[in-house]
Amino acid sequence: MTGLESLYREHLGYVLQSLRRLGAPAHRVEDLAHDVFVTVHRRLADFDTSRPVRPWLFGIAHGLVANERALASSKRAEAGSPSEQVDDAPGPEEHSERAAAQRLIRRALEELDDEKRAVFIMHELDQVPVSEAAAVLGLLTDTAWSRLKAARKQFKDAMTRQLGSMEGGLHARTRP
Amino acid sequence: MLERDPELDAMLAPERQEPPMPPAALNERLWRRISDSVRAGAGPARGPVGPALLIITGLLGVAVGAWAVSSFRAQPDVPAPTVEAPKVERVVDAGPPPPQTISDETTTSPRAAEAGARPTDEDRFLDRESSRLGVREALKKNQLLQAGAALAKHEADYPEDDVREEREALLVLTAAFSQSTALPRAAAAFRARYPDSGLLLALPTPQNEASPGRPVAPRDGGCTVNGRLGFSTNDPTVHVSDVVVYAVTAARSGMRTSPVNHQVVVEPREFTPKRSIIQRLDSVTLELKDRREHGVFTSDRSTLRLRLLPRRNTTSEPVVFDTFGSFRLQCDVHANERGFVVVVPDARFVTSVADDGAWQLDGVPPGKVKVSILEPNGARFDVVVNACSSAPIDSTLEGNEPPVLTRFNGSPYGEYQQ
């Protein structure tokens, strides 16, 4: 358990952050983090210690979030209920400027589809080389590059749109 | 390769910092949960897979049937297979609570009911893993009835859980218990599919295995079946020598029963060998000998899903072929890289057609034999003859139209994926 515990102590913050970036529902983040580390425990013996840990953790988190989404989607289809609304209202600690910017980024990330989002987060936010990200996500490197290119464009469009709507909102509120 | 984008960098700057430390309370609470799960032998969260209740019901029926038959014919000198269950590894370096004890009869532990509270996600996860552990323990002890019942209950209680591994293990153990002739193949297929399964120790070792790569010789004094094929095709990549002729006989004794692993080398522009003829349930391993990455799949996109070979000398996991037929190997990157895997029922009696259309099968046991002639695009000609008194089989075969080959995701070759 020592190896697992040291990984847990060192990378829990990263795992929680990655799960949120991947769009895991807020009320499921803790459970999914639990599942990530249980999976880590199972696969620890197979992990190549010469490779960086975080991309590996991200790959596990990505798979679990994808499973979660598929399960939620099939349950919704069975129940015929509307899609789950994630409460993204700012918490008390999120009133700073940086927190507001982070919320904008997360919303823009939510507009990317899963495949593009994973490559984008790994390369643009975690600064993982594209070849490494492709290996973790089981993609051809060319495919990862093309997804990254498309994701960059979609992300910038989404950010521009959000900033525009914020400015529009501000103008509307300040108008006499 | 994409250039850095300063505008994007500026947008992402607030999110590029190290993640904040999680609150201490969350940190400790989560660690306790993880420790508990690890101690209870919990596996990873699994993806949603359909319950396949019919299959497990069938399996349970087979298990019960095997048990009943075995009880009727129980003889003191033919004991049921008893394999000592391997010890379950438990990690106990974290403090209380003590490791959970799971009996064979108790497959679920209603924690929430005990506590008189509404079940939480954690309760459900732990209950599910305890339930699955109960199934596995019963399998390891060769308690087929308990395992079947526990598996059926688990599937009913947790339809989202993927228990294919346990189902297949039960199938193999049932075959062993009923002394089925299917045992060696079923066991070998299980080993190939789950090479690191904790249930492997419970499985019996197949007997009378043939040497890998060497088919068992046919019976002495076999017959010769031969013929000549007139072959035509519109596929310019297919030649008459790509056509395979094989025979299936009623006499199964001497047939190779242990699967063999075959290797296909993925070279810069071709697969070597271009065509592999294998017996059903044999496996194929792909080895990359190119500096660039390749992605290999079969054209049906299900027998072999996209298998990535990212760098030179990468070797794939063995891919088991469990369906007869001709499977086209494609590369996701290189449009003209072609290969075939032909899966036949019995690798003893297989041959290729010569350039002039002649073919010959030797050592075929006397009696009725079904001869099949199969071309790479799937067209086939079947005939049943008497092996030792058959005249040469002269036949004609028109090849199927070649398929329109696309990349694994369906996009045409030559278009850059967006």
Side-chain angles (χ1 to χ4, degrees), chain B residues 227-246:
Chain B
R228 186 175 294 275
L229 175 72
F231 178 63
S232 59
T233 179
N234 291 330
D235 188 343
T237 67
V238 169
H239 185 256
V240 65
S241 59
D242 294 324
V243 179
V244 171
V245 182
Y246 61 90

Side-chain angles (χ1 to χ4, degrees), chain B residues 230-358:
Chain B
F231 178 63
S232 59
T233 179
N234 291 330
D235 188 343
T237 67
V238 169
H239 185 256
V240 65
S241 59
D242 294 324
V243 179
V244 171
V245 182
Y246 61 90
V248 183
T249 71
R252 292 304 175 112
S253 63
M255 182 177 164
R256 175 161 63 75
T257 54
S258 60
V260 169
N261 184 54
H262 305 259
Q263 189 175 54
V264 173
V265 177
V266 183
E267 298 191 78
R269 296 283 169 200
E270 61 186 2
F271 296 104
T272 305
K274 180 187 173 191
R275 185 192 59 198
S276 303
I277 302 175
I278 70 174
Q279 187 169 299
R280 182 171 168 266
L281 293 182
D282 282 356
S283 57
V284 171
T285 301
L286 303 162
E287 183 178 3
L288 182 64
K289 288 293 182 192
D290 189 7
R291 278 175 303 157
R292 292 188 300 177
E293 66 186 352
H294 289 233
V296 180
F297 61 99
T298 51
S299 295
D300 64 359
R301 289 172 172 72
S302 59
T303 306
L304 170 58
R305 293 183 62 76
L306 186 62
R307 194 62 57 104
L308 298 173
L309 301 164
R311 51 187 80 84
R312 193 181 181 85
N313 293 331
T314 306
T315 302
S316 74
E317 291 292 311
V319 180
V320 177
F321 284 74
D322 58 4
T323 310
F324 304 127
S326 179
F327 298 89
R328 184 187 288 262
L329 291 176
Q330 282 182 243
C331 177
D332 202 40
V333 183
H334 305 97
N336 295 320
E337 194 167 4
R338 308 274 173 81
F340 295 96
V341 177
V342 181
V343 185
V344 299
D346 186 346
R348 291 177 299 173
F349 312 117
V350 183
T351 189
S352 296
V353 177
D355 288 347
D356 62 356

Side-chain angles (χ1 to χ4, degrees), chain B residues 77-99:
Chain B
D77 56 338
V78 185
T82 53
V83 180
E84 192 174 336
K87 288 180 181 171
V88 180
E89 185 186 340
R90 293 186 191 281
V91 184
V92 286
D93 62 341

Side-chain angles (χ1 to χ4, degrees), chain A residues 76-104:
Chain A
R76 273 200 306 275
E78 281 170 18
S81 60
S83 63
E84 184 175 10
Q85 296 296 312
V86 177
D87 177 17
D88 62 351
E93 76 286 7
E94 289 194 22
H95 285 296
S96 72
E97 214 168 279
R98 183 181 153 212
Q102 285 179 325
R103 287 185 57 233
L104 275 184

Side-chain angles (χ1 to χ4, degrees), chain A residues 75-144:
Chain A
K75 280 181 178 169
R76 273 200 306 275
E78 281 170 18
S81 60
S83 63
E84 184 175 10
Q85 296 296 312
V86 177
D87 177 17
D88 62 351
E93 76 286 7
E94 289 194 22
H95 285 296
S96 72
E97 214 168 279
R98 183 181 153 212
Q102 285 179 325
R103 287 185 57 233
L104 275 184
I105 292 169
R106 299 269 167 92
R107 278 189 192 163
L109 284 176
E110 279 172 19
E111 292 194 24
L112 303 182
D113 62 52
D114 291 349
E115 293 166 336
K116 296 190 185 82
R117 176 162 46 192
V119 181
F120 184 83
I121 293 171
M122 285 192 88
H123 183 66
E124 297 294 353
L125 295 175
D126 293 343
Q127 317 272 302
V128 174
V130 170
S131 56
E132 179 81 30
V136 166
L137 298 171
L139 302 173
L140 293 172
T141 310
D142 284 349
T143 307

Side-chain angles (χ1 to χ4, degrees), chain B residues 6 131 157 290:
Chain B
S131 166
D157 290 346
D290 189 7

Side-chain angles (χ1 to χ4, degrees), chain B residues 51-64 148 151-152 155 167:
Chain B
L53 203 54
L54 284 178
I55 293 175
I56 188 55
T57 309
L59 280 175
L60 186 58
V62 171
V64 171
L151 191 50
E155 288 243 311
R167 278 205 300 267

